Amino acid sequence: MRSLIWGLCLSVVVMGVAAQTEFSFVFSDKQLTDDKPIKLQAYEYRPDNWNGKVILFHHGAAGTVRGFDSQSVKESIKYWNISRFALANGYIFVPYMRKGRGRSEGVFTEENTGSCAWGTNEMQQKEALLQIEQVIDQVKSRYGVSKVILMGHSRGGFIVSRYASEKPENVMAIVNLAGHWNASCERYTGNQNRDVLAKAASKFKPQFWAYFENDSYFKTGLFNDWDYSWLKKTASDNGVVFKVFSPSNRAEGHDAPTWTPEEWSKAYFPLLNALPRE
């Protein structure tokens, strides 16, 4: 794999605390890119006093509970709200866009397939896992760390939990924010979300799961766990930290993790801070 990191593009001051730098990771794969390197858009936030740990943040889907939103595919998400708490706790915070999202090159293949088949969901997840693997290699080289903290929202939270269960040697901890892969397909895939999350919970710790009140993705007819009874039990049975947080000022609870992160950040960053550097 090419371990290059493509050059810096943009630096600005964020919140008067640290510089936000836009740069690119590199991804290549025989099937997905014909072995040609493509750029994956990323942002870096550096604190004044780095604690030696790096958080790699993974975005969710481009769809909504109402369906696929093709316009949002090209939206570059900077995660400023979460970055404030990461910086205040001394973390380098790096969100990036998977292929075809934002200004990342390649084709976005995670949405709008018209299929709820188990094989389709598995193909999409494996493409995301390939990207995570190569990006983590570059993060480790760029910052001189042996492990990273993986954090993600929605599909991002789901896929980082799965990745940690398969490649625990690269991961210090997981923060899963309202994680699921495709809630509208759960009843058609033989509960694939549940199978993956249950396996992840049993295989890797520490994991911190945050779910939110009034999240319509988990209502009856979609994920079918409106009161989080299945998720709570799965977490409890496997020693995963699980908490349900308020939606704050968001009408849709699924928005809360990224738009209003204060409550879960104050609960989970102290737990991340207690982890030893590796």
Side-chain angles (χ1 to χ4, degrees):
M1 187 204 79
R2 297 169 178 83
S3 59
L4 302 174
I5 297 182
W6 295 43
L8 303 180
C9 300
L10 175 68
S11 293
V12 296
V13 174
V14 178
M15 298 294 185
V17 177
Q20 173 217 306
T21 301
E22 182 177 347
F23 68 104
S24 296
F25 293 114
V26 170
F27 173 68
S28 64
D29 178 78
K30 184 175 182 179
Q31 291 186 326
L32 300 178
T33 72
D34 196 26
D35 273 337
K36 297 176 182 177
I38 64 171
K39 294 188 237 180
L40 302 180
Q41 183 187 21
Y43 296 95
E44 174 195 86
Y45 301 85
R46 276 187 177 266
D48 289 335
N49 297 301
W50 182 34
N51 65 11
K53 302 174 188 176
V54 179
I55 295 173
L56 183 64
F57 194 90
H58 301 258
H59 62 77
T64 70
V65 290
R66 294 168 298 281
F68 178 69
D69 182 356
S70 58
Q71 291 296 109
S72 63
V73 169
K74 295 304 178 184
E75 179 183 357
S76 299
I77 311 173
K78 299 178 176 68
Y79 295 103
W80 273 325
N81 292 340
I82 299 174
S83 75
R84 293 187 297 114
F85 294 94
L87 294 173
N89 284 275
Y91 295 86
I92 291 176
F93 181 71
V94 181
Y96 79 101
M97 305 285 105
R98 294 188 293 277
K99 67 181 180 66
R101 279 297 305 271
R103 289 199 297 277
S104 288
E105 297 174 343
V107 179
F108 184 66
T109 53
E110 292 181 13
E111 290 277 8
N112 207 26
T113 63
S115 172
C116 271
W118 182 93
T120 300
N121 281 268
E122 183 69 5
M123 176 197 71
Q124 294 170 350
Q125 291 168 33
K126 285 187 174 179
E127 288 189 8
L129 291 167
L130 285 170
Q131 293 168 76
I132 292 173
E133 177 78 3
Q134 293 188 26
V135 168
I136 286 179
D137 283 347
Q138 293 168 72
V139 167
K140 289 163 66 176
S141 176
R142 181 180 178 94
Y143 301 109
V145 296
S146 60
K147 294 186 177 183
V148 300
I149 295 170
L150 297 181
M151 184 180 289
H153 171 231
S154 193
R155 285 192 173 187
F158 174 93
I159 204 65
V160 297
S161 286
R162 175 169 179 174
Y163 177 84
S165 72
E166 298 178 5
K167 296 292 181 70
E169 65 273 14
N170 291 328
V171 185
M172 182 183 296
I174 290 296
V175 180
N176 164 14
L177 305 171
H180 70 89
W181 187 258
N182 194 338
S184 63
C185 286
E186 185 69 351
R187 54 190 158 164
Y188 304 109
T189 59
N191 292 324
Q192 196 240 13
N193 277 265
R194 284 170 171 75
D195 290 346
V196 169
L197 288 171
K199 181 179 178 181
S202 69
K203 294 283 187 182
F204 181 86
K205 260 77 72 179
Q207 291 204 54
F208 307 106
W209 291 4
Y211 286 75
F212 298 81
E213 297 171 356
N214 301 333
D215 186 333
S216 59
Y217 284 87
F218 293 89
K219 67 184 181 181
T220 301
L222 292 176
F223 194 89
N224 288 319
D225 197 24
W226 64 271
D227 62 352
Y228 300 126
S229 57
W230 183 88
L231 283 161
K232 287 177 184 176
K233 185 177 188 307
T234 300
S236 177
D237 288 349
N238 291 284
V240 168
V241 177
F242 182 95
K243 294 184 180 181
V244 177
F245 297 94
S246 76
S248 187
N249 61 357
R250 308 302 296 182
E252 168 55 63
H254 205 65
D255 297 341
T258 56
W259 284 95
T260 55
E262 182 173 6
E263 187 179 356
W264 70 260
S265 291
K266 287 184 175 180
Y268 284 168
F269 269 104
L271 302 179
L272 296 174
N273 296 345
L275 299 174
R277 291 174 54 183
E278 296 190 45

